[in-house]
mmCIF file of all heavy atoms in Angstrom:
data_model
loop_
_atom_site.group_PDB
_atom_site.id
_atom_site.type_symbol
_atom_site.label_atom_id
_atom_site.label_comp_id
_atom_site.label_asym_id
_atom_site.label_seq_id
_atom_site.Cartn_x
_atom_site.Cartn_y
_atom_site.Cartn_z
ATOM 1 N N MET A 161 2.811 -21.702 -62.725
ATOM 2 C CA MET A 161 1.717 -21.046 -63.436
ATOM 3 C C MET A 161 0.694 -20.415 -62.499
ATOM 4 O O MET A 161 -0.119 -19.591 -62.942
ATOM 5 C CB MET A 161 1.013 -22.044 -64.371
ATOM 6 C CG MET A 161 0.104 -23.049 -63.685
ATOM 7 S SD MET A 161 -0.939 -23.969 -64.841
ATOM 8 C CE MET A 161 0.256 -24.981 -65.694
ATOM 9 N N ASP A 162 0.711 -20.755 -61.211
ATOM 10 C CA ASP A 162 -0.308 -20.178 -60.322
ATOM 11 C C ASP A 162 0.001 -18.733 -59.943
ATOM 12 O O ASP A 162 -0.810 -18.067 -59.299
ATOM 13 C CB ASP A 162 -0.505 -21.038 -59.070
ATOM 14 C CG ASP A 162 0.639 -20.935 -58.056
ATOM 15 O OD1 ASP A 162 1.599 -20.179 -58.311
ATOM 16 O OD2 ASP A 162 0.558 -21.612 -57.025
ATOM 17 N N GLY A 163 1.160 -18.232 -60.357
ATOM 18 C CA GLY A 163 1.466 -16.823 -60.165
ATOM 19 C C GLY A 163 2.097 -16.468 -58.836
ATOM 20 O O GLY A 163 2.472 -15.299 -58.619
ATOM 21 N N THR A 164 2.234 -17.425 -57.945
ATOM 22 C CA THR A 164 2.753 -17.125 -56.612
ATOM 23 C C THR A 164 4.156 -16.526 -56.658
ATOM 24 O O THR A 164 4.445 -15.517 -56.010
ATOM 25 C CB THR A 164 2.758 -18.399 -55.743
ATOM 26 O OG1 THR A 164 1.430 -18.907 -55.662
ATOM 27 C CG2 THR A 164 3.277 -18.103 -54.345
ATOM 28 N N GLN A 165 5.049 -17.145 -57.429
ATOM 29 C CA GLN A 165 6.424 -16.642 -57.515
ATOM 30 C C GLN A 165 6.443 -15.226 -58.084
ATOM 31 O O GLN A 165 7.108 -14.333 -57.546
ATOM 32 C CB GLN A 165 7.262 -17.563 -58.408
ATOM 33 C CG GLN A 165 7.522 -18.941 -57.838
ATOM 34 C CD GLN A 165 8.150 -19.849 -58.878
ATOM 35 O OE1 GLN A 165 7.661 -19.972 -60.003
ATOM 36 N NE2 GLN A 165 9.234 -20.493 -58.503
ATOM 37 N N LEU A 166 5.725 -15.036 -59.177
ATOM 38 C CA LEU A 166 5.738 -13.736 -59.841
ATOM 39 C C LEU A 166 5.111 -12.657 -58.963
ATOM 40 O O LEU A 166 5.623 -11.538 -58.874
ATOM 41 C CB LEU A 166 5.001 -13.825 -61.179
ATOM 42 C CG LEU A 166 5.045 -12.571 -62.053
ATOM 43 C CD1 LEU A 166 6.476 -12.196 -62.394
ATOM 44 C CD2 LEU A 166 4.232 -12.789 -63.332
ATOM 45 N N ASP A 167 4.021 -12.995 -58.306
ATOM 46 C CA ASP A 167 3.351 -12.032 -57.443
ATOM 47 C C ASP A 167 4.298 -11.530 -56.351
ATOM 48 O O ASP A 167 4.365 -10.332 -56.071
ATOM 49 C CB ASP A 167 2.111 -12.670 -56.824
ATOM 50 C CG ASP A 167 1.354 -11.715 -55.904
ATOM 51 O OD1 ASP A 167 1.061 -10.593 -56.342
ATOM 52 O OD2 ASP A 167 1.075 -12.096 -54.756
ATOM 53 N N GLY A 168 5.029 -12.443 -55.746
ATOM 54 C CA GLY A 168 5.969 -12.048 -54.706
ATOM 55 C C GLY A 168 7.078 -11.154 -55.243
ATOM 56 O O GLY A 168 7.484 -10.189 -54.594
ATOM 57 N N LEU A 169 7.565 -11.461 -56.449
ATOM 58 C CA LEU A 169 8.639 -10.663 -57.041
ATOM 59 C C LEU A 169 8.170 -9.259 -57.408
ATOM 60 O O LEU A 169 8.865 -8.269 -57.163
ATOM 61 C CB LEU A 169 9.177 -11.364 -58.291
ATOM 62 C CG LEU A 169 10.344 -12.331 -58.128
ATOM 63 C CD1 LEU A 169 10.713 -12.934 -59.460
ATOM 64 C CD2 LEU A 169 11.543 -11.624 -57.517
ATOM 65 N N LEU A 170 6.996 -9.169 -58.027
ATOM 66 C CA LEU A 170 6.521 -7.874 -58.498
ATOM 67 C C LEU A 170 6.310 -6.887 -57.360
ATOM 68 O O LEU A 170 6.307 -5.673 -57.578
ATOM 69 C CB LEU A 170 5.225 -8.048 -59.298
ATOM 70 C CG LEU A 170 5.347 -8.884 -60.581
ATOM 71 C CD1 LEU A 170 4.027 -8.898 -61.337
ATOM 72 C CD2 LEU A 170 6.479 -8.379 -61.475
ATOM 73 N N LYS A 171 6.147 -7.405 -56.149
ATOM 74 C CA LYS A 171 5.962 -6.534 -54.992
ATOM 75 C C LYS A 171 7.269 -5.871 -54.548
ATOM 76 O O LYS A 171 7.244 -4.875 -53.812
ATOM 77 C CB LYS A 171 5.361 -7.325 -53.835
ATOM 78 C CG LYS A 171 3.907 -7.724 -54.073
ATOM 79 C CD LYS A 171 3.397 -8.643 -52.976
ATOM 80 C CE LYS A 171 1.941 -9.027 -53.237
ATOM 81 N NZ LYS A 171 1.426 -10.015 -52.251
ATOM 82 N N ILE A 172 8.407 -6.420 -54.973
ATOM 83 C CA ILE A 172 9.690 -5.865 -54.539
ATOM 84 C C ILE A 172 10.520 -5.296 -55.693
ATOM 85 O O ILE A 172 11.503 -4.603 -55.454
ATOM 86 C CB ILE A 172 10.522 -6.914 -53.776
ATOM 87 C CG1 ILE A 172 10.852 -8.115 -54.676
ATOM 88 C CG2 ILE A 172 9.788 -7.384 -52.523
ATOM 89 C CD1 ILE A 172 11.803 -9.109 -54.050
ATOM 90 N N LEU A 173 10.140 -5.594 -56.939
ATOM 91 C CA LEU A 173 10.889 -5.086 -58.087
ATOM 92 C C LEU A 173 10.328 -3.738 -58.537
ATOM 93 O O LEU A 173 9.193 -3.383 -58.234
ATOM 94 C CB LEU A 173 10.827 -6.087 -59.244
ATOM 95 C CG LEU A 173 11.444 -7.461 -58.986
ATOM 96 C CD1 LEU A 173 11.326 -8.329 -60.233
ATOM 97 C CD2 LEU A 173 12.902 -7.345 -58.558
ATOM 98 N N HIS A 174 11.148 -3.018 -59.306
ATOM 99 C CA HIS A 174 10.700 -1.737 -59.841
ATOM 100 C C HIS A 174 10.553 -1.874 -61.354
ATOM 101 O O HIS A 174 11.480 -2.319 -62.032
ATOM 102 C CB HIS A 174 11.695 -0.622 -59.517
ATOM 103 C CG HIS A 174 11.093 0.743 -59.629
ATOM 104 N ND1 HIS A 174 10.701 1.295 -60.837
ATOM 105 C CD2 HIS A 174 10.783 1.666 -58.689
ATOM 106 C CE1 HIS A 174 10.187 2.488 -60.642
ATOM 107 N NE2 HIS A 174 10.228 2.751 -59.336
ATOM 108 N N PRO A 175 9.404 -1.480 -61.903
ATOM 109 C CA PRO A 175 9.183 -1.657 -63.342
ATOM 110 C C PRO A 175 10.183 -0.894 -64.210
ATOM 111 O O PRO A 175 10.488 -1.331 -65.325
ATOM 112 C CB PRO A 175 7.752 -1.143 -63.561
ATOM 113 C CG PRO A 175 7.425 -0.333 -62.357
ATOM 114 C CD PRO A 175 8.210 -0.933 -61.236
ATOM 115 N N LYS A 176 10.707 0.219 -63.732
ATOM 116 C CA LYS A 176 11.630 1.014 -64.539
ATOM 117 C C LYS A 176 12.947 0.295 -64.809
ATOM 118 O O LYS A 176 13.623 0.587 -65.795
ATOM 119 C CB LYS A 176 11.918 2.346 -63.838
ATOM 120 C CG LYS A 176 10.733 3.286 -63.758
ATOM 121 C CD LYS A 176 11.132 4.583 -63.048
ATOM 122 C CE LYS A 176 9.948 5.538 -62.946
ATOM 123 N NZ LYS A 176 10.324 6.801 -62.248
ATOM 124 N N THR A 177 13.308 -0.663 -63.945
ATOM 125 C CA THR A 177 14.648 -1.263 -64.038
ATOM 126 C C THR A 177 14.615 -2.789 -64.106
ATOM 127 O O THR A 177 15.612 -3.439 -63.813
ATOM 128 C CB THR A 177 15.499 -0.823 -62.833
ATOM 129 O OG1 THR A 177 14.840 -1.226 -61.615
ATOM 130 C CG2 THR A 177 15.717 0.675 -62.825
ATOM 131 N N THR A 178 13.477 -3.350 -64.504
ATOM 132 C CA THR A 178 13.345 -4.815 -64.564
ATOM 133 C C THR A 178 13.229 -5.291 -66.005
ATOM 134 O O THR A 178 12.446 -4.742 -66.783
ATOM 135 C CB THR A 178 12.113 -5.282 -63.772
ATOM 136 O OG1 THR A 178 12.245 -4.878 -62.401
ATOM 137 C CG2 THR A 178 11.978 -6.794 -63.823
#
Side-chain angles (χ1 to χ4, degrees):
M161 75 168 69
D162 74 1
T164 302
Q165 292 170 310
L166 186 59
D167 180 51
L169 269 179
L170 297 184
K171 290 173 180 175
I172 62 173
L173 298 181
H174 199 292
K176 292 180 181 180
T177 58
T178 300

